[in-house]
Amino acid sequence: MNKKLNPKLLDIAGPSKGTGLPTRTGTVVEILNTGPSSVLIEMTDDEGVLTDLIVSEMQKAEVVWPAPESAPVGEPVPGAEELFEQGLFLLQNGLIAKARATFSEAFRIEPRFAGTLMNLANESATRSAFQVAIFLYRMILDLQPSYRLALENLAITHLNQGVAFARLGVVDKAIEEFNQTLLLQPTGSTLQLCSNNLVAAYTALGIQLSAIKRYQEGMQFFFLAFQLQPSEPMARRNLALSLVAAAASEREGRGIPSNESFKQFILMGLTLSECLNAYGATVASLGQVSDARIILRKAQDVDPFNALAKSNLEIVESREVSTVKSGEVPLDLPLGIMPFETHPASVTVLQ
């Protein structure tokens, strides 16, 4: 490279060899336009103290080190904070694509602003604006796929939306949300809570179906709950009771079932009295009140302390007296199946 052309201010330069001047270098501090173009070179000692000023013709000066080019003066480049605020403004006005692009640039300059946006999503999730929060979490993850905390909060928000649906009785939507939570592969505590809530939702569906005498369909949901938590005693008991009800709904003929017919349900954790109560309650729901009374009386005889069997028997006997002239009518009696509660989780805020 030719380093003898046009020295600039702040170039490190010196007289060319052959000029008769000592071969020293200094900083170009001024370009002189009088006569032949010349440069004024400031000479300093090792400690930076001025020792001399040399004037050299520009074409005879040799550039030892060129000064770096300064950035061109133009529109100021916005910083990460300004970009982040622009992104929020665009988002609030529905300009999603532009907001995403602006957030992307802000996160590139300063990754911590992804956490700021996540905290805003957390605020929406906390006030039950689940869809807004889910949208924001997904935008963050589109821009920063490895942001594990945002992914965890997204899973928790799907879980909490499921809990909200479950408490409104919209159980099928609740199950959709819980399954979406599982697809996001949450960590231990969230995963366990999601499993618990799914058990609660499946149990609720089973109870709903049993209440309208769709015992076989209800049994399938009790089985799903049991599969999720086979070590949960209540899930096992509920499944066993639903199996008794399904068997009673398909009974042929009349009379009291044998004790042997309940053996498999007793192995699942029920007592004989509980089996008889569930069987009798189901028979009553089918309108066979006289048979139900006999079966429930046996349940009471087997275990006088079975409060549910005692209560059901009292209802049946009272109804028999009041309907002696009008004939038997179906009775809705509890089988002993117990519901589970759903529980929400808390999103994690970045401090």
Side-chain angles (χ1 to χ4, degrees):
M1 178 183 293
N2 185 350
K3 295 188 178 181
K4 294 184 180 180
L5 298 176
N6 300 325
K8 300 176 299 181
L9 290 177
L10 304 183
D11 279 352
I12 303 299
S16 300
K17 293 181 181 179
T19 59
L21 294 173
T23 56
R24 294 183 297 164
T25 59
T27 304
V28 175
V29 293
E30 190 171 351
I31 298 176
L32 307 173
N33 293 318
T34 56
S37 295
S38 303
V39 290
L40 181 63
I41 302 173
E42 182 182 87
M43 313 300 291
T44 59
D45 60 18
D46 293 340
E47 296 181 356
V49 178
L50 177 65
T51 60
D52 201 358
L53 290 169
I54 294 176
V55 177
S56 172
E57 291 184 17
M58 189 176 290
Q59 294 303 321
K60 293 181 179 180
E62 181 175 2
V63 176
V64 177
W65 177 82
E69 295 286 345
S70 59
V73 178
E75 291 295 325
V77 178
E81 185 172 358
E82 183 179 350
L83 285 167
F84 181 76
E85 291 174 354
Q86 287 178 9
L88 290 179
F89 176 79
L90 293 167
L91 192 63
Q92 290 165 353
N93 285 275
L95 302 173
I96 307 302
K98 290 183 177 180
R100 181 181 281 106
T102 305
F103 284 135
S104 178
E105 181 62 15
F107 297 168
R108 185 191 65 79
I109 298 171
E110 180 50 80
R112 68 182 177 86
F113 278 109
T116 305
L117 185 58
M118 185 193 70
N119 282 347
L120 292 176
N122 292 346
E123 292 177 8
S124 296
T126 301
R127 65 173 187 270
S128 299
F130 300 119
Q131 288 302 313
V132 173
I134 288 170
F135 173 82
L136 291 175
Y137 291 134
R138 290 196 177 278
M139 177 182 286
I140 294 166
L141 289 165
D142 284 344
L143 300 175
Q144 292 197 348
S146 61
Y147 199 164
R148 182 68 202 182
L149 185 54
L151 183 64
E152 186 73 12
N153 282 341
L154 173 61
I156 289 171
T157 302
H158 274 293
L159 183 148
N160 289 344
Q161 184 162 243
V163 170
F165 280 132
R167 291 178 176 178
L168 291 172
V170 191
V171 185
D172 55 340
K173 294 292 291 182
I175 291 172
E176 287 181 18
E177 292 298 323
F178 297 147
N179 285 330
Q180 184 62 49
T181 301
L182 293 178
L183 289 174
L184 295 169
Q185 299 180 333
T187 56
S189 59
T190 306
L191 179 62
Q192 183 60 49
L193 189 56
C194 185
S195 176
N196 295 345
N197 285 334
L198 267 173
V199 168
Y202 286 138
T203 300
L205 274 181
I207 291 173
Q208 288 177 9
L209 290 166
S210 297
I212 57 175
K213 303 178 181 60
R214 292 163 62 177
Y215 298 107
Q216 294 292 339
E217 294 174 68
M219 178 187 65
Q220 295 174 13
F221 286 104
F222 289 120
F223 183 69
L224 287 173
F226 171 71
Q227 278 187 314
L228 278 172
Q229 294 186 348
S231 62
E232 169 57 56
M234 191 184 297
R236 181 182 291 272
R237 280 178 47 80
N238 284 347
L239 175 59
L241 289 167
S242 73
L243 288 168
V244 172
S249 69
E250 295 184 341
R251 72 193 281 260
E252 294 180 2
R254 304 276 176 167
I256 304 174
S258 66
N259 293 352
E260 184 67 20
S261 64
F262 296 117
K263 183 177 180 179
Q264 61 174 319
F265 311 125
I266 292 172
L267 290 174
M268 294 178 69
L270 298 181
T271 66
L272 177 58
S273 180
E274 288 171 332
C275 291
L276 287 164
N277 174 74
Y279 199 99
T282 305
V283 169
S285 74
L286 299 174
Q288 301 166 17
V289 181
S290 295
D291 286 351
R293 177 181 56 77
I294 297 171
I295 298 168
L296 290 170
R297 182 169 292 168
K298 183 177 180 181
Q300 181 67 31
D301 291 341
V302 169
D303 181 6
F305 298 100
N306 186 337
L308 185 58
K310 180 180 179 181
S311 173
N312 283 343
L313 178 60
E314 290 173 351
I315 293 171
V316 167
E317 290 179 336
S318 172
R319 181 61 58 89
E320 278 192 310
V321 172
S322 63
T323 59
V324 66
K325 295 183 179 179
S326 59
E328 295 181 342
V329 293
L331 286 175
D332 292 325
L333 302 175
L335 305 178
I337 292 172
M338 299 298 293
F340 288 82
E341 291 187 11
T342 53
H343 296 281
S346 298
V347 293
T348 303
V349 178
L350 189 67
Q351 300 298 328

